[in-house]
Amino acid sequence: MFRLSNLIKSVTNGQKERSLNGNIIIWNFTNRCNLACHHCYSYANPNSEDFLTTEFIVDSIKELKKAGIKFVIFSGGEPLIRKDIFVISKAMREAGIITYLSTNGLYVDEKNVDNIIKYFNYIGISIDGIEEVHDEFRGLKGAYKKSLEAIALIQKHGGNAGIRFTITNETKESFYSMFDLAEEIGVDKIYISHLVYSGRGLDNLKIDISKEERRKFVEFTIDKAFEYIKDGRDIDVVTGNMEMDAIVFLNIFSKKYPELKDEMIKRLKSWGGNSAGVKLGNIDWLGRVKPDPFFPYYIGNMSETPFSEIWLNKDNEMLNKLREYPRKISGYCKDCGVLDICNGGSRSRANAIYDDLWAQDPSCYLSDNEKRGL
């Protein structure tokens, strides 16, 4: 996750960057879902069954704490399908863990909205295009209207809600309109996510955009982050799953604030680029642990081994290699002058295309000049 707005504000105002002193877990509490999204990395469907019990999950919170987890994103499938979701979130909040909710919004209603706001600091709702585009991509007519109604309801009750948009060939025509929508309805955040080749995202590799298109969209996103701050719009702009965005951002930032370039470089290196297996991890609906939700390999199963033992295992070769900084990546990454900022990008995309976890990220769109360094 690359928080553009936060970086701009903190550096230009001479403030300490807002950061989480701990690790983040994305937990897929269920594989049940009422939609069939084309890019779904977990093959979620309505016929799945939940595996982990409420008691097991709540009892595992002490293991998360022991492993240094400070933040849990509730995901799925569709997490609101689980009737115990508020019991789990309440227990985590009481243990000092910050909770976010990632949802399609279709189950947000007057009966549960206050609990959603009470037990989640932020609610991210997936919207992948304007009406027809979204409904086609998500596999349900009327889904767009229901998601917008969910955002409006959360806002009405005083909660923090934002938009999550994934750029693909199927959704790109709505890209610019998503910013118009964010401005119109006044969301707290717009999160622009790049496609990772995993799950249905791997099956539908053909839906990814070209590098030239990606570059254009990234530059527009960065410009919007500067624009919102200048205009006093309180909309955070964040990108995900494409750590190379930081290099383009740095070049644009440096032209606007040349005297602050060195400080921004320092912040970006501290951020550390791709954090799979480092600051970020994933637990799926079966209790299997991965370095990130898209990762092609598991590092353990918490129904067999306590989570802290899995996450803190110093003998796990894969984790050790992921936690090297910067990572030892082959291809054009090997001699890249900005590897210490992006940290090699997505290992899942590399493995999907080259059958090699430690190959270059095939989606890197940086120019040869940018790869030479700062």
Side-chain angles (χ1 to χ4, degrees):
M1 184 182 297
F2 185 54
R3 297 180 297 177
L4 296 165
S5 303
N6 177 254
L7 278 166
I8 296 169
K9 291 176 183 177
S10 62
V11 172
T12 56
N13 293 329
Q15 300 171 342
K16 183 178 180 181
E17 183 183 3
R18 177 172 58 90
S19 60
L20 180 70
N21 184 25
N23 298 322
I24 301 171
I25 285 293
I26 299 172
W27 195 331
N28 305 95
F29 287 100
T30 181
N31 202 41
R32 290 185 289 155
C33 190
N34 51 339
L35 297 179
C37 308
H38 293 184
H39 64 321
C40 182
Y41 59 79
S42 62
Y43 292 101
N45 68 80
N47 300 315
S48 296
E49 294 183 6
D50 294 334
F51 179 76
L52 303 179
T53 66
T54 309
E55 294 72 22
F56 177 86
I57 294 170
V58 170
D59 190 55
S60 298
I61 294 174
K62 62 180 183 294
E63 286 295 317
L64 300 182
K65 296 283 290 184
K66 193 183 297 185
I69 306 303
K70 298 289 183 68
F71 187 114
V72 174
I73 299 174
F74 285 52
S75 188
E78 170 49 52
L80 289 177
I81 283 181
R82 284 194 67 130
K83 295 180 179 180
D84 58 359
I85 205 71
F86 300 125
V87 174
I88 297 168
S89 183
K90 181 175 183 287
M92 288 193 181
R93 296 281 286 264
E94 290 175 346
I97 293 175
I98 298 170
T99 55
Y100 274 17
L101 176 66
S102 180
T103 174
N104 58 43
L106 272 62
Y107 288 132
V108 177
D109 56 35
E110 288 283 1
K111 294 180 181 179
N112 64 18
V113 65
D114 288 327
N115 274 335
I116 290 173
I117 294 169
K118 181 178 180 180
Y119 294 118
F120 296 99
N121 291 64
Y122 170 78
I123 302 98
I125 295 183
S126 299
I127 298 182
D128 288 305
I130 303 302
E131 196 135 18
E132 290 183 5
V133 174
H134 174 86
D135 289 355
E136 173 65 24
F137 192 67
R138 292 268 160 182
L140 179 68
K141 189 172 183 179
Y144 177 79
K145 288 182 179 179
K146 289 181 178 295
S147 294
L148 286 188
E149 289 170 0
I151 292 176
L153 187 59
I154 291 166
Q155 292 174 327
K156 176 183 175 182
H157 285 250
N160 299 317
I163 291 172
R164 178 188 176 102
F165 174 82
T166 301
I167 313 173
T168 72
N169 269 323
E170 296 177 333
T171 66
K172 64 184 180 183
E173 297 304 321
S174 291
F175 173 80
Y176 299 108
S177 298
M178 297 313 297
F179 288 90
D180 295 336
L181 176 64
E183 295 163 19
E184 178 185 343
I185 65 178
V187 294
D188 295 281
K189 180 189 296 183
I190 180 166
Y191 182 105
I192 303 298
S193 180
H194 298 271
L195 186 69
V196 180
Y197 313 145
S198 178
R200 292 191 190 111
L202 176 55
D203 293 342
N204 292 293
L205 179 59
K206 62 186 178 184
I207 71 175
D208 200 8
I209 59 176
S210 69
K211 293 182 180 181
E212 292 75 21
E213 289 173 311
R214 192 182 310 284
R215 178 82 186 215
K216 181 177 63 173
F217 292 145
V218 168
E219 290 176 350
F220 182 88
T221 302
I222 294 169
D223 288 342
K224 274 295 182 180
F226 281 104
E227 177 189 316
Y228 290 159
I229 292 172
K230 180 182 177 182
D231 294 346
R233 284 187 178 272
D234 195 19
I235 301 176
D236 279 341
V237 180
V238 179
T239 69
N241 305 317
M242 190 61 62
E243 289 76 19
M244 289 66 75
D245 292 356
I247 313 304
V248 179
F249 166 75
L250 175 62
N251 291 335
I252 294 173
F253 179 89
S254 299
K255 291 176 182 177
K256 294 178 180 289
Y257 302 98
E259 74 282 6
L260 295 175
K261 178 179 179 179
D262 289 343
E263 176 60 27
M264 183 57 76
I265 292 173
K266 179 181 176 183
R267 297 283 180 102
L268 293 176
K269 289 183 178 180
S270 175
W271 165 65
N274 185 276
S275 61
V278 185
K279 300 176 185 176
L280 173 68
N282 171 247
I283 302 171
D284 74 5
W285 63 96
L286 295 172
R288 297 175 297 191
V289 181
K290 297 190 291 183
D292 72 27
F294 311 102
F295 218 78
Y297 304 110
Y298 301 101
I299 57 174
N301 190 319
M302 58 189 293
S303 65
E304 302 169 355
T305 306
F307 177 82
S308 64
E309 293 183 21
I310 296 171
W311 191 251
L312 301 177
N313 183 4
K314 294 184 178 180
D315 294 324
N316 187 296
E317 183 180 356
M318 185 183 299
L319 278 181
N320 289 338
K321 292 184 73 172
L322 285 171
R323 291 170 180 174
E324 285 185 284
Y325 179 75
R327 292 170 180 157
K328 292 181 173 60
I329 308 296
S330 62
Y332 45 66
C333 291
K334 183 177 180 180
D335 300 312
C336 182
V338 290
L339 182 62
D340 56 352
I341 290 181
C342 79
N343 206 21
S346 171
R347 300 300 84 224
S348 299
R349 279 193 294 257
N351 193 76
I353 300 302
Y354 304 115
D355 195 27
D356 180 0
L357 274 177
W358 314 110
Q360 63 198 25
D361 184 336
S363 291
C364 179
Y365 58 84
L366 297 180
S367 67
D368 289 342
N369 188 51
E370 287 168 326
K371 292 174 188 173
R372 292 190 186 100
L374 309 174

